[in-house]
Amino acid sequence: MDTYVKSEIICRPVRPTKSVPSLTDDVTSGLFSARKQLPAKYFYDDRGSELFDRICDEPEYYPTRTEDALLKASAHDIIANANPLQIIEFGSGMSRKIRHLFDACSEIECYPTYIPFDVCDDVMVKSGNELAEKYKWLEVAPLSGDYTAGLGNIPVVSGRNLLMFLGGTIGNFTESQGIDFLREIRELMGADDQLLLGADRVKAPEVLHAAYNDVAGITAEFNLNLLDVLNREMCANFDRENFSHYAFYNPDENQIEMHLVCMCDENVRIEALGRSLLFKEGDGIRTEISRKFTRETLENLLRRAGFEIEFHFESSMQLFSLVLARPA
Ligand code: SAH
Ligand code: AVI
């Protein structure tokens, strides 16, 4: 039996290269305004990350299993083409799907270092340990931080970095945020590096609606957990019993929108700001957008961010896309 001794998985914080609003700033600007909204990144405390992981297994939530199957089918082509020294994954979460790439790496004896980058340290340590256990050759070096706070301190090696942004998380940005983020990734990359981007596709509204309104109520719980985050981090007193999960497909914008809607008049105290906030019955907070792409809008997004498309893998019925791109 092999006797590899591996060091403990430790998350290294990434020093921001630009300032981003704090939770206090986002609550002040996002909740004390006519159209209330908060960035989706605040979902992902330990509980939120666990709930997202459960969403991925819900029968209605097709994106994870569809992208997983697509990655499994294309893993060999991706790895043979990229032959990476390093794989850097933004918003890696539980790092489940990437196993297909590591299987392909094992097959062709390509042994990259894996650098997951996420706001939630807990999931990276847990999944990092599982990966290191399964792939004895794998070095896992997680980075902890907010990927919207600049990528200038990401340790790219010279030549053959495979950067990845999976799960359709690009859809949680607005169009301009998405282009800016992809441009920042592009800036990091050398001529031989590649980006693997996973994106959800436009499809029948009923399918989308069901995916964000699972019968078991896990997505509702994920959405409502945001109120627990605010209560804890901002010393607020949101009563989650008075709020309800509301998700719908907006066909004009090709996006799912998730909201938390207040079911009665409610006065919420946000002690950390020393302010109170009055919700009228029916008032809501938009907590997430999840944009859906056509083949064309996805490829255009990448081109506008300075990429050229190498391969576009599509699942059956075009439910989901994986695009391998390189700097143009
Ligand atoms: N890529 C995984 C997880 C997607 S969920 C998959 O395909 O299943 C989105 C992930 O991005 C979560 O793990 C969340 O913690 C992380 N995340 C969200 N906003 C982030 C930010 N601003 N900076 C870093 N990680 C972020
Ligand atoms: C992480 N992201 C791509 C998920 C999505 O589908 O937009 C987050 C999510 N929200 C509700 N369900 C899943």
Side-chain angles (χ1 to χ4, degrees), residues 43-44 52 55 61 63 166-172 200 211-212 219 222 258 288-292:
F43 281 134
Y44 299 96
F52 176 73
I55 289 174
Y61 194 73
L166 300 183
T169 309
I170 187 68
N172 298 137
D200 198 9
Y212 292 81
T219 308
F222 173 72
M258 287 214 313
E288 186 180 66
I289 59 165
S290 191
R291 294 170 57 233
K292 310 301 168 190

Side-chain angles (χ1 to χ4, degrees), residues 63-293:
T64 306
R65 61 171 183 277
T66 311
E67 189 184 36
D68 186 79
L70 195 52
L71 205 51
K72 186 174 182 185
S74 44
H76 188 85
D77 290 348
I78 293 167
I79 292 300
N81 187 281
N83 193 18
L85 287 174
Q86 226 180 220
I87 299 183
I88 302 172
E89 184 178 9
F90 301 101
S92 46
M94 283 304 292
S95 300
R96 288 211 253 170
K97 289 168 277 194
I98 197 168
R99 287 171 181 234
H100 299 305
L101 295 187
F102 295 146
D103 289 340
C105 286
S106 302
E107 267 168 47
I108 67 162
E109 299 183 9
C110 154
Y111 301 121
T113 300
Y114 176 48
I115 306 189
F117 179 8
D118 206 285
V119 270
C120 187
D121 289 16
D122 257 36
V123 288
M124 288 193 292
V125 171
K126 185 167 182 285
S127 59
N129 278 315
E130 287 169 8
L131 288 171
E133 176 63 31
K134 180 164 163 64
Y135 302 95
K136 300 294 182 202
W137 51 266
L138 185 65
E139 190 191 330
V140 184
L143 295 176
S144 150
D146 179 344
Y147 52 53
T148 62
L151 305 178
N153 288 318
I154 301 281
V156 278
V157 287
S158 79
R160 291 168 32 213
N161 297 281
L162 175 61
L163 295 98
M164 310 209 313
F165 195 33
L166 300 183
T169 309
I170 187 68
N172 298 137
F173 287 122
T174 63
E175 172 155 344
S176 65
Q177 288 168 344
I179 291 180
D180 289 349
F181 185 61
L182 291 174
R183 279 194 185 132
E184 277 189 66
I185 293 181
R186 161 77 187 78
E187 292 283 295
L188 269 185
M189 296 169 68
D192 293 330
D193 295 341
Q194 284 165 304
L195 169 70
L196 184 66
L197 179 67
D200 198 9
R201 298 284 292 267
V202 171
K203 56 185 62 66
E206 313 80 76
V207 177
L208 289 164
H209 180 88
Y212 292 81
N213 290 282
D214 57 285
V215 171
I218 314 295
T219 308
E221 186 56 30
F222 173 72
N223 199 4
L224 285 161
N225 178 59
L226 186 62
L227 299 180
D228 296 342
V229 171
L230 295 175
N231 286 348
R232 187 181 62 236
E233 303 293 331
M234 298 298 295
C235 301
N237 66 350
F238 283 93
D239 183 348
R240 52 143 70 211
E241 297 298 312
N242 292 338
F243 285 83
S244 145
H245 164 71
Y246 176 49
F248 65 93
Y249 183 60
N250 175 344
D252 297 330
E253 301 290 339
N254 283 332
Q255 65 191 21
I256 285 282
E257 296 189 15
M258 287 214 313
H259 296 249
L260 285 166
V261 177
C262 195
M263 307 306 287
C264 57
D265 292 357
E266 157 122 335
N267 199 13
V268 177
R269 182 75 186 159
I270 303 181
E271 207 52 59
L273 299 179
R275 296 175 75 176
S276 297
L277 184 56
L278 180 66
F279 282 88
K280 292 283 201 195
E281 183 181 344
D283 281 354
I285 307 170
R286 191 170 77 180
T287 52
E288 186 180 66
I289 59 165
S290 191
R291 294 170 57 233
K292 310 301 168 190
F293 299 86

